[in-house]
């Protein structure tokens, strides 16, 4: 895609028939001469996982179908994590309602911790906010999250910068969790990216 930015073979002759050196593209995504190349960020966004809250089903459904429906939210999250790992994404963002408040069970909390640990072992960071069904000010996770998980505070907007494997910034994530289920603050007004040099992502959840 960037062939047009490099010298052509037939134009690499200079005085004395010495070939002109081909400029290397350094890790910061630029080449000399001021030509800017894109810095990419690959990520997965998901929300409304509602772990621990089984989907309603028809009473006439078979026992096997009932079991599938009851485990549907867990199965979906597991597949999201599988995909994130297989695609080697740079990070994952989760925009609220990870749980239902009344269903933040031992099973749901333990399951989420285990899935986040899978991403931790692959060095994939996770950024999450809590929504109106699982406000951060009303309950706590029963199991600790691994170090790769950043949960945004409900007190003030926060931002985190994501770096790639070469320690080059590729994205900024802005977010703030719900404090209570009826939180009416306009939290996005506190998301103030300093510039557009990298991807800026704001996490919001609407009830």
């Amino acid at each position: 895609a960037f062939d047009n930015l490099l010298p052509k073979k037939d134009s690499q002759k200079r005085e004395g028939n010495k070939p002109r050196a081909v400029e290397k593209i350094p890790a910061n995504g630029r080449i000399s001469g001021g030509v800017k190349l894109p810095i990419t960020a690959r990520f997965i966004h998901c929300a409304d996982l509602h772990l621990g809250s089984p989907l309603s089903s028809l009473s006439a459904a078979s026992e096997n179908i009932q079991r599938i429906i009851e485990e549907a939210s867990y199965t979906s999250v597991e597949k999201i994590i599988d995909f994130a790992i297989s695609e080697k994404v740079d990070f994952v963002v989760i925009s609220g309602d990870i749980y239902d408040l009344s269903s933040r069970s031992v099973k749901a909390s333990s399951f989420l911790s285990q899935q986040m640990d899978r991403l931790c072992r692959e060095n994939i960071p996770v950024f999450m906010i809590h929504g109106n069904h699982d406000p951060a000010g009303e309950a706590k996770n029963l199991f600790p999250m691994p170090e790769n998980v950043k949960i945004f505070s409900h007190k003030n907007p926060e931002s985190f910068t994501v770096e790639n494997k070469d320690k080059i910034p590729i994205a900024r994530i802005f977010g703030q969790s719900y404090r209570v289920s009826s939180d009416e603050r306009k939290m996005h007004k506190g998301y103030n990216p300093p510039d557009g040099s990298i991807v800026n992502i704001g996490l919001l959840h609407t009830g």
Side-chain angles (χ1 to χ4, degrees), residues 9 13 16 33 35-36 43 46 86 88 91 99 106-108 121 124 128 135-136 178 188 194 199:
K9 289 183 178 180
K13 302 287 185 178
V35 179
K36 186 176 180 180
F43 66 99
C46 58
S86 68
K88 295 180 171 57
F91 56 92
Y99 309 98
V106 170
K107 177 181 177 180
R121 292 196 296 270
I124 298 175
M128 64 172 67
Y178 269 56
H188 68 282
V199 176

Side-chain angles (χ1 to χ4, degrees), residues 54-69:
L55 299 174
S56 59
S57 59
L58 298 174
S59 58
S62 69
E63 183 176 338
N64 184 51
I65 292 177
Q66 290 278 6
R67 189 182 307 111
I68 291 172
I69 292 174

Side-chain angles (χ1 to χ4, degrees), residues 4-6 30 36 38 51-52 58 66 76 82 99 117 129 154 158 163 165 167 169 173-174 190 197 200:
N4 61 316
L5 301 177
L6 300 176
R30 296 174 182 271
K36 186 176 180 180
L51 289 173
L58 298 174
Q66 290 278 6
S76 297
D82 289 344
Y99 309 98
D117 190 60
I129 59 174
H154 65 84
E158 295 180 302
E163 296 180 338
K165 293 179 180 179
K167 302 300 181 182
I173 317 295
F174 297 83
S197 61
N200 293 296

Side-chain angles (χ1 to χ4, degrees), residues 93-95 127 129 152 173-176 191 201-205:
V93 294
I94 307 177
S95 296
F127 303 89
I129 59 174
F152 288 88
I173 317 295
F174 297 83
Q176 184 175 3
Y191 300 178
I201 299 172
L203 302 186
L204 288 171
H205 185 88

Side-chain angles (χ1 to χ4, degrees), residues 139-183:
K140 303 297 181 184
N141 287 313
L142 300 177
F143 288 79
M145 292 292 112
E147 62 182 9
N148 64 316
V149 177
K150 308 298 183 185
I151 301 176
F152 288 88
S153 170
H154 65 84
K155 297 178 182 179
N156 298 293
E158 295 180 302
S159 67
F160 296 99
T161 299
V162 188
E163 296 180 338
N164 62 17
K165 293 179 180 179
D166 297 317
K167 302 300 181 182
I168 297 169
I170 58 173
R172 297 186 195 93
I173 317 295
F174 297 83
Q176 184 175 3
S177 290
Y178 269 56
R179 179 171 53 208
V180 295
S181 58
S182 58
D183 204 328

